Amino acid sequence: MIKAIYGTKDILPEDILKWTHLENLVRNVMGSFNYKEIRTPVFEETRLFARGIGEATDIVSKEMYTFNDRSDNSVTLKPEMTAAVVRSFIEHKMDKKQMLNKMFYISPMFRQERPQAGRLRQFHQFGAEALGSDSPQLDAEMIIMPYDIITSLGLKNIVVKINSLGVPESRENYKNVLKDYLAPHLNDLSEESRKRFETNILRIFDSKAENDQKIMEDAPLLIEHLDNASLEHFEGVKRTLLEAGIPFEIDPKLVRGLDYYTHTTFEIVSGSVGSQSALCGGGRYNLLVEQLGGKPAPGIGFAAGIERILLACENEESLKLPDDSLDLFVVDINRDNAELVSKLSLFFRRKGLTVEHDYAARSVKAQMREANRSNAKFTIMVGGDELERNEIVLKTMETGDQKSFNIDNLQSVFETMRG
RNA sequence: GUGGGUGUAGCUCAGUUGGUUAGAGCGUCUGGUUGUGGCCCAGAAGGCCGUGGGUUCAAAUCCCAUCACUCACCCCA
């Protein structure tokens, strides 16, 4: 049996309503903030991600689906969206068309990691990018939008965490402060953290090793070493969030893994999924556009994991899905009127109703059972004496009431069903 | 890449200290008279017991290997 590739999943018809429900919500909320959808190719030149995300990051160094195509060009299935959107922004000179470009996306992503709860090799994100402004109100928007979406789905068990990484200069100064603090403890740190002491010292805050955490508890914090402009920006973000009624925590240890972040970083985590608890993450990246060869432009964005959000919804049983059950089931009483049944169904389908009928000339009982099981609101019965009199029978399933109509007056049948 | 757990019907799972034709519930299909659903009743279909090897008179059951799935670490959405 050929099966779906390790770490990928079919989204089956029985689950699709959850997905379209979420996607519609995303489009509505993003639309209300005037974000326009962008769709980029699923694969890009490998160097886009290598340069954009950072060679040293886990994503680039060990998780990308990279392969050579038949022309021997190295291409990569997109592991995240920001680099691709920024590439498109630069390529299409969007900065010349308008000073602020607000875009959102819903798209599959690919990372070759070990799958677990809330993590797949092909997974799906929605997110947004805003390029061309460093207004703190935009930072806040990037938190408000996913927050509103997530809470609209009924999720309760969530926490919004924010932090600021400031600008590179103050971060470099801080790194030296942190180095001075950690140097005497170096031998007590875990091996991984000792490596990070050299490569990416900020990430030691992420360590889950107990002893590392104990050491980091008393470590000086980046937020205490921000320059004034960064602090003022951060204050602006916080004020806007408070005004928006978004509850948040400041997490000075929230250090995102991707190289391109500056200033604000944030995460929305859920207590209702497994250990992969981040439903959403993002931050400001004022240096990325330049780094990818564009004219310098500030940017900010977020990405949210659709599978994780839906998982949280399932665990909290929070989803209220729209009804997609049948309006009408057309029953063929004599089991020899397939064409007439098909024609009647078409009439109501073209009126916008969801209509089904049997295709196997099964017994009336079986057809009724199916109508019942598919939760049809009405059935129409075709055949027998009534048909000889040129009539059909409309039955209201909930009450069992039946009423005859002339077959040439389907419009009044429709109006009766619509109420 | 590193650990742990689990593989029996479409789904959820039973299956005694190894012992005859491998079970239940749910679901599916058919029927309980001639043209009517839900409840109830009856019946049917559907399993190389993940795969390969070994031990044994005998393996779903014990041993080994392998594959798959899954959770966690790492990291991230």
Side-chain angles (χ1 to χ4, degrees), chain A residues 3 6 9 58 111 119 125 196 203 256-257 275-276 278 280 308 372-373 385-386 395 397 402:
Chain A
K3 298 198 291 184
Y6 188 49
K9 270 202 163 48
D58 279 21
R111 292 181 202 173
R119 170 193 289 157
Q125 292 183 330
R196 285 184 183 151
R203 306 271 343 274
R256 316 228 77 240
S275 72
Q276 303 306 320
C280 164
R308 285 184 191 178
N372 184 65
R373 188 187 36 208
D385 306 341
E386 289 89 344
K395 174 167 182 167
M397 292 300 273
Q402 301 192 175

Coordinates of all heavy atoms in Angstrom, one line a residue, chain A residues 3 6 9 58 111 119 125 196 203 256-257 275-276 278 280 308 372-373 385-386 395 397 402, chain B residues 1-3 27-32 35-38 68-77:
Chain A
K3 N 1.5 4.9 0.9 CA 1.0 5.8 1.9 C 1.6 7.2 1.8 O 2.6 7.4 1.2 CB 1.3 5.2 3.3 CG 0.7 3.8 3.5 CD 0.6 3.5 5.0 CE 2.0 3.2 5.5 NZ 2.0 2.8 6.9
Y6 N 6.0 10.2 5.2 CA 6.3 10.4 6.7 C 6.2 11.9 7.0 O 6.8 12.7 6.4 CB 7.7 9.9 7.0 CG 8.0 9.8 8.5 CD1 7.2 9.3 9.4 CD2 9.3 10.4 8.9 CE1 7.5 9.2 10.7 CE2 9.6 10.3 10.2 CZ 8.8 9.7 11.1 OH 9.1 9.7 12.4
K9 N 0.2 14.6 6.0 CA -1.2 14.1 6.3 C -2.2 14.6 5.3 O -2.1 15.7 4.8 CB -1.6 14.7 7.7 CG -1.2 13.8 8.9 CD -2.1 14.1 10.1 CE -2.0 13.0 11.1 NZ -0.6 12.6 11.4
D58 N 18.7 26.4 12.8 CA 18.4 25.0 12.7 C 17.6 24.8 11.4 O 17.8 23.8 10.7 CB 17.5 24.6 13.8 CG 18.3 24.3 15.1 OD1 19.5 24.8 15.1 OD2 17.9 23.5 15.9
R111 N 9.4 21.4 6.5 CA 10.6 21.3 7.2 C 10.8 19.8 7.5 O 9.9 19.1 8.1 CB 10.6 22.1 8.5 CG 10.5 23.6 8.3 CD 10.5 24.3 9.6 NE 10.0 25.7 9.4 CZ 9.7 26.6 10.4 NH1 9.9 26.2 11.6 NH2 9.2 27.8 10.1
R119 N 3.4 19.0 15.0 CA 4.5 19.2 14.1 C 4.5 18.2 13.0 O 4.6 17.0 13.2 CB 5.9 19.2 14.8 CG 7.0 19.2 13.8 CD 8.3 18.9 14.4 NE 8.8 19.9 15.2 CZ 9.7 19.7 16.2 NH1 10.2 18.6 16.4 NH2 10.0 20.8 16.9
Q125 N 0.6 27.3 7.5 CA 0.6 28.5 8.3 C -0.2 29.6 7.6 O -0.3 29.7 6.4 CB 2.1 29.1 8.4 CG 3.0 28.3 9.2 CD 4.4 28.9 9.3 OE1 4.8 29.7 8.4 NE2 5.1 28.7 10.4
R196 N 26.5 27.3 22.5 CA 25.8 28.5 22.1 C 26.5 29.8 22.7 O 26.3 30.9 22.2 CB 24.4 28.5 22.7 CG 23.5 27.6 21.9 CD 22.1 27.7 22.4 NE 21.2 26.8 21.7 CZ 20.1 26.2 22.3 NH1 19.8 26.5 23.6 NH2 19.3 25.4 21.6
R203 N 20.4 32.4 22.8 CA 19.6 31.3 22.8 C 19.7 30.4 24.1 O 19.0 29.5 24.3 CB 19.8 30.4 21.6 CG 19.7 31.2 20.3 CD 18.3 31.2 19.7 NE 17.4 30.1 20.2 CZ 17.4 28.9 19.8 NH1 18.1 28.6 18.7 NH2 16.6 28.0 20.4
R256 N 13.8 34.7 19.7 CA 13.4 33.9 18.6 C 14.6 33.4 17.9 O 15.7 34.0 17.9 CB 12.5 34.7 17.7 CG 11.5 35.5 18.5 CD 10.1 35.3 17.9 NE 9.5 34.0 18.3 CZ 9.1 33.1 17.5 NH1 9.2 33.3 16.2 NH2 8.5 32.0 17.9
G257 N 14.5 32.2 17.3 CA 15.6 31.5 16.7 C 16.1 32.1 15.4 O 17.2 31.8 15.0
S275 N 3.8 19.5 23.6 CA 4.9 20.3 24.0 C 5.2 21.4 23.0 O 5.9 22.3 23.2 CB 6.1 19.4 24.2 OG 6.6 19.0 23.0
Q276 N 4.7 21.2 21.7 CA 4.9 22.2 20.7 C 3.8 23.3 20.9 O 2.8 23.3 20.2 CB 4.9 21.6 19.3 CG 5.9 20.5 19.1 CD 7.3 20.9 19.5 OE1 7.7 22.0 19.2 NE2 8.1 20.1 20.1
A278 N 3.7 26.7 20.8 CA 3.6 28.0 20.1 C 2.6 27.9 19.0 O 2.8 27.2 18.0 CB 4.9 28.4 19.6
C280 N 1.6 30.7 17.5 CA 1.9 31.8 16.6 C 3.2 32.5 17.1 O 3.4 32.5 18.3 CB 0.7 32.8 16.7 SG 1.0 34.4 16.1
R308 N -1.6 23.3 14.6 CA -1.6 23.5 16.1 C -2.8 24.2 16.6 O -3.3 23.8 17.6 CB -0.3 24.3 16.4 CG 0.9 23.5 16.4 CD 2.1 24.3 16.8 NE 3.3 23.5 16.5 CZ 4.5 23.9 16.7 NH1 4.7 25.1 17.3 NH2 5.6 23.2 16.3
N372 N -31.8 10.3 6.3 CA -31.8 10.6 7.7 C -30.4 10.7 8.2 O -30.1 11.6 9.0 CB -32.5 9.4 8.4 CG -32.6 9.7 9.9 OD1 -33.3 10.7 10.3 ND2 -31.9 8.9 10.7
R373 N -29.6 9.7 7.8 CA -28.2 9.7 8.3 C -27.4 11.0 7.8 O -26.6 11.5 8.5 CB -27.5 8.5 7.7 CG -26.1 8.3 8.3 CD -25.4 7.2 7.7 NE -25.7 7.1 6.3 CZ -25.7 6.0 5.5 NH1 -25.5 4.9 6.1 NH2 -26.0 6.1 4.2
D385 N -48.4 6.4 -7.3 CA -49.7 7.0 -7.6 C -49.5 8.5 -7.9 O -50.0 9.0 -8.9 CB -50.7 6.9 -6.5 CG -50.8 5.4 -6.1 OD1 -50.5 4.5 -6.9 OD2 -51.3 5.2 -5.0
E386 N -48.7 9.1 -7.0 CA -48.6 10.6 -7.1 C -48.0 10.9 -8.5 O -48.5 11.9 -9.1 CB -47.7 11.1 -6.0 CG -48.3 11.1 -4.6 CD -48.1 9.8 -3.9 OE1 -47.7 8.8 -4.6 OE2 -48.3 9.8 -2.7
K395 N -41.5 15.8 2.1 CA -41.6 15.4 3.5 C -40.6 16.2 4.3 O -39.4 16.4 4.0 CB -41.2 13.9 3.6 CG -41.2 13.4 5.0 CD -41.2 11.9 5.1 CE -41.2 11.4 6.5 NZ -41.4 10.0 6.6
M397 N -38.4 16.2 7.4 CA -37.9 15.1 8.1 C -38.1 15.2 9.6 O -38.4 14.2 10.3 CB -36.4 14.9 7.8 CG -36.1 14.5 6.4 SD -36.9 12.9 6.0 CE -35.6 11.8 6.6
Q402 N -46.0 15.4 5.4 CA -45.8 15.3 4.0 C -46.9 16.1 3.3 O -48.0 16.3 3.7 CB -46.0 13.8 3.6 CG -45.0 12.9 4.3 CD -44.9 11.5 3.7 OE1 -44.1 10.7 4.1 NE2 -45.8 11.2 2.7
Chain B
rG1 P 18.3 10.2 10.7 OP1 18.5 11.3 9.7 OP2 18.7 8.9 10.2 O5' 19.0 10.6 12.0 C5' 20.4 10.7 12.1 C4' 20.8 11.4 13.4 O4' 20.3 12.7 13.4 C3' 20.2 10.7 14.6 O3' 21.0 9.6 15.0 C2' 20.3 11.9 15.6 O2' 21.6 12.0 16.1 C1' 19.9 13.1 14.7 N9 18.5 13.4 14.8 C8 17.6 13.4 13.8 N7 16.4 13.7 14.1 C5 16.5 14.0 15.5 C6 15.6 14.5 16.4 O6 14.4 14.7 16.2 N1 16.1 14.7 17.7 C2 17.4 14.5 18.0 N2 17.8 14.7 19.3 N3 18.3 14.0 17.1 C4 17.8 13.9 15.9
rU2 P 20.3 8.3 15.6 OP1 21.3 7.2 15.6 OP2 19.0 8.1 14.9 O5' 20.0 8.8 17.1 C5' 21.1 9.3 17.9 C4' 20.5 9.6 19.3 O4' 19.8 10.9 19.3 C3' 19.5 8.6 19.8 O3' 20.2 7.5 20.4 C2' 18.8 9.4 20.9 O2' 19.5 9.5 22.1 C1' 18.7 10.8 20.2 N1 17.5 10.9 19.4 C2 16.3 11.4 20.1 O2 16.3 11.6 21.2 N3 15.2 11.5 19.3 C4 15.1 11.3 17.9 O4 14.1 11.4 17.3 C5 16.3 10.8 17.3 C6 17.4 10.7 18.0
rG3 P 19.4 6.1 20.7 OP1 20.3 5.0 21.0 OP2 18.3 6.0 19.6 O5' 18.7 6.6 22.0 C5' 17.6 5.8 22.5 C4' 16.8 6.6 23.6 O4' 16.6 8.0 23.1 C3' 15.5 6.0 23.9 O3' 15.6 5.0 24.8 C2' 14.7 7.2 24.4 O2' 15.0 7.6 25.7 C1' 15.3 8.3 23.4 N9 14.5 8.4 22.2 C8 15.0 8.1 20.9 N7 14.1 8.2 20.0 C5 12.9 8.6 20.7 C6 11.6 8.9 20.2 O6 11.2 8.9 19.0 N1 10.8 9.3 21.2 C2 11.1 9.3 22.5 N2 10.1 9.7 23.4 N3 12.3 9.1 23.0 C4 13.2 8.7 22.0
rG27 P -23.8 2.6 15.0 OP1 -24.7 3.8 14.9 OP2 -24.3 1.3 15.0 O5' -22.8 2.7 13.7 C5' -22.1 3.9 13.3 C4' -21.2 3.7 12.2 O4' -20.2 2.7 12.6 C3' -21.8 3.0 11.0 O3' -22.5 4.0 10.1 C2' -20.6 2.4 10.3 O2' -19.9 3.4 9.6 C1' -19.8 1.9 11.5 N9 -20.2 0.5 11.8 C8 -21.0 0.0 12.8 N7 -21.1 -1.3 12.8 C5 -20.4 -1.7 11.7 C6 -20.1 -3.0 11.2 O6 -20.5 -4.1 11.6 N1 -19.3 -3.0 10.0 C2 -18.8 -1.8 9.5 N2 -18.0 -2.0 8.4 N3 -19.0 -0.6 9.9 C4 -19.8 -0.6 11.0
rU28 P -23.7 3.6 9.3 OP1 -24.2 4.8 8.6 OP2 -24.7 2.8 10.1 O5' -23.1 2.6 8.2 C5' -22.2 3.0 7.2 C4' -21.8 1.9 6.3 O4' -21.1 0.9 7.1 C3' -22.9 1.1 5.7 O3' -23.5 1.8 4.6 C2' -22.3 -0.2 5.4 O2' -21.5 -0.1 4.2 C1' -21.3 -0.4 6.6 N1 -21.9 -1.2 7.6 C2 -21.9 -2.6 7.5 O2 -21.5 -3.1 6.5 N3 -22.5 -3.3 8.5 C4 -23.0 -2.8 9.7 O4 -23.5 -3.5 10.5 C5 -23.0 -1.3 9.8 C6 -22.5 -0.6 8.8
rC29 P -25.0 1.8 4.3 OP1 -25.3 2.8 3.2 OP2 -25.8 1.9 5.6 O5' -25.3 0.3 3.8 C5' -24.7 -0.1 2.5 C4' -24.9 -1.6 2.3 O4' -24.2 -2.3 3.4 C3' -26.3 -2.1 2.5 O3' -27.1 -1.8 1.3 C2' -26.1 -3.5 2.8 O2' -25.8 -4.2 1.6 C1' -24.9 -3.5 3.7 N1 -25.2 -3.4 5.1 C2 -25.6 -4.6 5.8 O2 -25.6 -5.6 5.1 N3 -25.9 -4.6 7.1 C4 -25.9 -3.4 7.8 N4 -26.3 -3.5 9.1 C5 -25.6 -2.2 7.1 C6 -25.3 -2.2 5.8
rU30 P -28.7 -1.6 1.5 OP1 -29.2 -1.3 0.1 OP2 -28.9 -0.7 2.6 O5' -29.2 -3.1 1.9 C5' -29.0 -4.1 1.0 C4' -29.6 -5.4 1.6 O4' -28.7 -5.8 2.7 C3' -31.0 -5.3 2.2 O3' -32.0 -5.4 1.2 C2' -30.9 -6.5 3.1 O2' -31.1 -7.7 2.4 C1' -29.5 -6.4 3.7 N1 -29.5 -5.7 4.9 C2 -29.8 -6.4 6.1 O2 -30.2 -7.5 6.1 N3 -29.8 -5.6 7.3 C4 -29.4 -4.3 7.4 O4 -29.4 -3.8 8.5 C5 -29.0 -3.7 6.1 C6 -29.1 -4.4 5.0
rG31 P -33.4 -4.8 1.5 OP1 -34.2 -5.0 0.3 OP2 -33.2 -3.4 2.0 O5' -34.0 -5.7 2.7 C5' -34.5 -7.0 2.4 C4' -34.7 -7.7 3.6 O4' -33.6 -7.7 4.5 C3' -35.9 -7.2 4.5 O3' -37.1 -7.6 4.0 C2' -35.6 -7.9 5.8 O2' -35.9 -9.3 5.8 C1' -34.0 -7.8 5.9 N9 -33.6 -6.6 6.6 C8 -33.0 -5.5 6.2 N7 -32.8 -4.6 7.1 C5 -33.2 -5.2 8.3 C6 -33.1 -4.8 9.6 O6 -32.7 -3.8 10.1 N1 -33.7 -5.8 10.5 C2 -34.2 -7.0 10.1 N2 -34.6 -7.8 11.1 N3 -34.2 -7.4 8.8 C4 -33.7 -6.5 8.0
rG32 P -38.4 -6.7 4.4 OP1 -39.5 -7.2 3.6 OP2 -38.0 -5.3 4.3 O5' -38.6 -7.0 5.9 C5' -38.9 -8.3 6.3 C4' -39.2 -8.3 7.8 O4' -38.0 -8.1 8.6 C3' -40.1 -7.2 8.3 O3' -41.5 -7.6 8.1 C2' -39.8 -7.2 9.8 O2' -40.4 -8.2 10.5 C1' -38.3 -7.4 9.7 N9 -37.5 -6.1 9.7 C8 -37.0 -5.5 8.6 N7 -36.4 -4.4 8.9 C5 -36.5 -4.3 10.3 C6 -36.0 -3.3 11.2 O6 -35.4 -2.3 11.0 N1 -36.3 -3.6 12.5 C2 -37.1 -4.7 12.9 N2 -37.3 -4.9 14.2 N3 -37.5 -5.7 12.1 C4 -37.2 -5.4 10.8
rG35 P -43.7 -1.4 -3.2 OP1 -44.8 -0.5 -3.1 OP2 -42.9 -1.7 -4.4 O5' -42.6 -0.9 -2.1 C5' -42.9 -0.5 -0.9 C4' -42.8 1.0 -0.8 O4' -43.5 1.6 -1.9 C3' -43.4 1.6 0.5 O3' -42.4 1.9 1.3 C2' -44.2 2.8 0.0 O2' -43.5 4.0 0.6 C1' -43.9 2.9 -1.5 N9 -45.1 3.4 -2.2 C8 -45.9 2.6 -3.0 N7 -46.8 3.3 -3.6 C5 -46.6 4.6 -3.2 C6 -47.2 5.9 -3.5 O6 -48.2 6.0 -4.3 N1 -46.6 6.9 -2.9 C2 -45.6 6.8 -2.0 N2 -45.2 8.0 -1.5 N3 -44.9 5.7 -1.7 C4 -45.5 4.7 -2.3
rU36 P -42.5 1.3 2.8 OP1 -41.7 0.1 2.8 OP2 -43.9 1.3 3.3 O5' -41.7 2.5 3.6 C5' -40.3 2.7 3.4 C4' -40.0 4.1 4.0 O4' -40.5 5.1 3.2 C3' -40.6 4.2 5.4 O3' -39.5 4.5 6.3 C2' -41.6 5.3 5.3 O2' -41.5 6.2 6.4 C1' -41.1 6.1 4.1 N1 -42.2 6.6 3.3 C2 -42.5 8.0 3.5 O2 -41.8 8.7 4.2 N3 -43.5 8.5 2.7 C4 -44.2 7.9 1.8 O4 -45.1 8.5 1.1 C5 -43.9 6.5 1.6 C6 -43.0 5.9 2.4
rG37 P -39.2 3.6 7.5 OP1 -38.8 2.3 7.1 OP2 -40.2 3.8 8.6 O5' -37.9 4.4 8.0 C5' -36.7 4.3 7.2 C4' -35.7 5.3 7.7 O4' -36.2 6.6 7.2 C3' -35.6 5.5 9.2 O3' -34.7 4.5 9.7 C2' -35.1 6.9 9.3 O2' -33.7 6.9 9.1 C1' -35.8 7.6 8.2 N9 -37.1 8.3 8.6 C8 -38.3 7.8 8.5 N7 -39.2 8.7 8.9 C5 -38.5 9.8 9.2 C6 -38.9 11.1 9.7 O6 -40.1 11.5 9.9 N1 -37.8 11.9 10.0 C2 -36.5 11.6 9.7 N2 -35.6 12.5 10.0 N3 -36.1 10.4 9.3 C4 -37.2 9.6 9.1
rG38 P -34.9 3.8 11.0 OP1 -34.0 2.6 11.1 OP2 -36.4 3.7 11.3 O5' -34.3 4.9 12.0 C5' -33.0 5.4 11.9 C4' -32.9 6.6 12.9 O4' -33.8 7.6 12.5 C3' -33.2 6.2 14.3 O3' -32.1 6.6 15.2 C2' -34.5 6.8 14.6 O2' -34.5 7.3 15.9 C1' -34.6 7.9 13.6 N9 -36.0 8.1 13.2 C8 -36.9 7.1 12.8 N7 -38.1 7.6 12.6 C5 -37.9 9.0 12.8 C6 -38.9 10.0 12.6 O6 -40.1 9.9 12.3 N1 -38.3 11.2 12.9 C2 -37.0 11.4 13.3 N2 -36.6 12.7 13.6 N3 -36.1 10.5 13.5 C4 -36.7 9.3 13.2
rA68 P 9.9 3.0 7.9 OP1 10.0 3.9 6.7 OP2 10.8 3.2 9.0 O5' 8.4 3.0 8.4 C5' 7.3 2.8 7.5 C4' 6.1 2.6 8.2 O4' 6.2 1.5 9.1 C3' 5.7 3.7 9.2 O3' 5.1 4.8 8.5 C2' 4.7 3.0 10.1 O2' 3.5 2.9 9.6 C1' 5.4 1.7 10.3 N9 6.3 1.6 11.5 C8 7.7 1.7 11.5 N7 8.2 1.6 12.7 C5 7.1 1.5 13.5 C6 6.9 1.3 14.9 N6 8.0 1.2 15.7 N1 5.7 1.1 15.4 C2 4.7 1.2 14.5 N3 4.7 1.3 13.2 C4 5.9 1.5 12.8
rC69 P 5.3 6.3 9.0 OP1 4.8 7.2 8.0 OP2 6.7 6.5 9.4 O5' 4.4 6.4 10.3 C5' 3.0 6.3 10.2 C4' 2.4 6.0 11.5 O4' 3.0 4.8 12.1 C3' 2.6 7.0 12.6 O3' 1.7 8.1 12.5 C2' 2.3 6.2 13.9 O2' 0.9 5.9 14.1 C1' 3.0 4.9 13.5 N1 4.4 4.8 14.0 C2 4.6 4.5 15.4 O2 3.6 4.3 16.1 N3 5.8 4.4 15.9 C4 6.9 4.6 15.0 N4 8.1 4.5 15.6 C5 6.7 4.9 13.7 C6 5.5 5.0 13.2
rU70 P 2.1 9.5 13.0 OP1 1.0 10.5 12.7 OP2 3.5 9.8 12.5 O5' 2.2 9.4 14.6 C5' 1.1 9.1 15.4 C4' 1.4 8.8 16.8 O4' 2.3 7.7 16.8 C3' 2.2 9.9 17.5 O3' 1.4 10.9 18.0 C2' 2.9 9.1 18.6 O2' 2.1 8.8 19.7 C1' 3.2 7.8 17.9 N1 4.6 7.8 17.3 C2 5.6 7.5 18.2 O2 5.5 7.2 19.4 N3 6.9 7.4 17.6 C4 7.2 7.7 16.3 O4 8.4 7.6 15.9 C5 6.1 8.0 15.5 C6 4.8 8.0 16.0
rC71 P 1.9 12.4 18.1 OP1 0.7 13.3 18.2 OP2 2.9 12.6 17.0 O5' 2.7 12.5 19.4 C5' 2.0 12.3 20.7 C4' 3.0 12.0 21.8 O4' 3.8 10.8 21.4 C3' 4.1 13.0 22.0 O3' 3.7 14.1 22.8 C2' 5.2 12.2 22.7 O2' 4.8 12.0 24.1 C1' 5.1 10.9 22.0 N1 6.0 10.7 20.9 C2 7.3 10.3 21.2 O2 7.6 10.0 22.4 N3 8.2 10.1 20.2 C4 7.9 10.4 19.0 N4 8.8 10.2 18.0 C5 6.6 10.9 18.6 C6 5.7 11.0 19.6
rA72 P 4.4 15.5 22.6 OP1 3.7 16.4 23.6 OP2 4.4 15.9 21.2 O5' 5.9 15.3 23.1 C5' 6.2 15.2 24.5 C4' 7.6 14.8 24.8 O4' 7.8 13.5 24.1 C3' 8.7 15.7 24.3 O3' 8.9 16.8 25.1 C2' 9.9 14.7 24.4 O2' 10.3 14.5 25.7 C1' 9.2 13.4 23.8 N9 9.5 13.2 22.4 C8 8.6 13.5 21.3 N7 9.2 13.2 20.2 C5 10.5 12.8 20.5 C6 11.6 12.5 19.7 N6 11.6 12.4 18.4 N1 12.7 12.1 20.3 C2 12.8 12.2 21.7 N3 11.8 12.5 22.5 C4 10.7 12.9 21.8
rC73 P 9.7 18.0 24.5 OP1 9.6 19.1 25.5 OP2 9.2 18.3 23.1 O5' 11.2 17.5 24.4 C5' 12.0 17.3 25.5 C4' 13.4 16.9 25.1 O4' 13.3 15.7 24.2 C3' 14.1 17.9 24.3 O3' 14.7 18.9 25.1 C2' 15.2 17.0 23.6 O2' 16.2 16.7 24.4 C1' 14.3 15.7 23.3 N1 13.8 15.7 21.9 C2 14.7 15.3 20.9 O2 15.8 15.1 21.2 N3 14.2 15.3 19.6 C4 12.9 15.6 19.4 N4 12.5 15.5 18.1 C5 12.0 15.9 20.4 C6 12.5 16.0 21.7
rC74 P 14.6 20.4 24.6 OP1 15.4 21.2 25.6 OP2 13.2 20.7 24.3 O5' 15.5 20.4 23.3 C5' 16.9 20.2 23.3 C4' 17.4 20.2 21.9 O4' 16.8 19.1 21.2 C3' 17.0 21.4 21.0 O3' 17.8 22.5 21.2 C2' 17.1 20.8 19.6 O2' 18.4 20.7 19.2 C1' 16.6 19.4 19.8 N1 15.1 19.2 19.5 C2 14.7 19.0 18.2 O2 15.6 19.0 17.3 N3 13.4 18.9 17.9 C4 12.5 19.0 18.9 N4 11.2 18.9 18.5 C5 12.9 19.2 20.2 C6 14.2 19.3 20.5
rC75 P 17.2 23.9 21.6 OP1 18.4 24.8 21.6 OP2 16.3 23.8 22.7 O5' 16.4 24.3 20.3 C5' 17.0 24.8 19.1 C4' 16.1 24.6 17.9 O4' 15.5 23.3 18.0 C3' 14.9 25.6 17.8 O3' 15.3 26.8 17.3 C2' 14.0 24.8 16.9 O2' 14.5 24.9 15.6 C1' 14.2 23.4 17.4 N1 13.2 23.0 18.4 C2 12.0 22.6 17.9 O2 11.8 22.5 16.6 N3 11.0 22.2 18.7 C4 11.2 22.3 20.1 N4 10.2 21.9 20.9 C5 12.5 22.8 20.6 C6 13.4 23.1 19.7
rC76 P 14.4 28.1 17.5 OP1 15.1 29.1 16.6 OP2 14.3 28.4 18.9 O5' 13.1 27.7 16.8 C5' 12.5 28.3 15.7 C4' 11.5 27.5 15.0 O4' 11.4 26.2 15.8 C3' 10.1 28.0 15.1 O3' 9.8 28.9 14.0 C2' 9.3 26.7 15.0 O2' 9.2 26.3 13.6 C1' 10.1 25.7 15.8 N1 9.7 25.7 17.2 C2 8.4 25.1 17.5 O2 7.7 24.7 16.5 N3 8.0 25.0 18.8 C4 8.8 25.4 19.8 N4 8.4 25.3 21.0 C5 10.1 26.0 19.5 C6 10.5 26.1 18.2
rA77 P 8.8 30.1 14.2 OP1 9.1 31.1 13.1 OP2 8.9 30.5 15.6 O5' 7.4 29.5 14.0 C5' 6.3 30.3 13.6 C4' 5.0 29.6 14.0 O4' 4.8 28.5 13.1 C3' 5.1 29.0 15.4 O3' 4.5 29.9 16.3 C2' 4.4 27.7 15.3 O2' 3.1 27.8 15.7 C1' 4.4 27.4 13.8 N9 5.3 26.3 13.4 C8 6.6 26.3 13.4 N7 7.2 25.1 13.0 C5 6.0 24.3 12.8 C6 5.9 23.0 12.4 N6 7.0 22.2 12.2 N1 4.7 22.5 12.3 C2 3.6 23.3 12.6 N3 3.6 24.6 13.0 C4 4.9 25.0 13.1

